[in-house]
Amino acid sequence: MSPEKAKDYRILVKRTVFEKYGGVCAICNESRWECLTIDHVNQDGKLDRQLNPRSGAQWFLKLKREPRRSDLRVLCMSCNWSIAQWG
């Protein structure tokens, strides 16, 4: 697969996952996919990464294939950062 096609596929997977989890930031309703990320509601992302080490692309593929998890949500980068810093 060419690098351009690989990049397009990664973007498609991310957008699919964001839609699966609501498609907009759960706090401010930001909808531009470039600004979105997946947040661990219980702030246990570190534990998830330790138990299941993988790259970001692999993690999004896993989320795409598996049933929707209730411990995850879509947040924009700003809201995610604010929660991480200030609670």
Side-chain angles (χ1 to χ4, degrees), residues 20-76:
K20 181 178 184 175
Y21 283 87
V24 299
C25 176
I27 296 173
C28 73
N29 292 317
E30 173 64 65
S31 61
R32 292 175 293 172
W33 74 268
E34 301 93 335
C35 300
L36 301 178
T37 189
I38 297 293
D39 175 61
H40 288 78
V41 175
N42 301 319
Q43 305 303 312
D44 58 355
K46 181 178 179 180
L47 177 62
D48 197 11
R49 287 186 297 278
Q50 288 172 338
L51 295 174
N52 302 294
R54 58 181 49 89
S55 72
Q58 290 172 328
W59 192 61
F60 272 91
L61 275 171
K62 179 181 186 285
L63 293 178
K64 180 180 180 260
R65 292 179 183 141
E66 292 182 348
R68 190 177 190 279
R69 292 172 45 176
S70 62
D71 65 324
L72 300 176
R73 64 182 171 182
V74 173
L75 289 184
C76 71

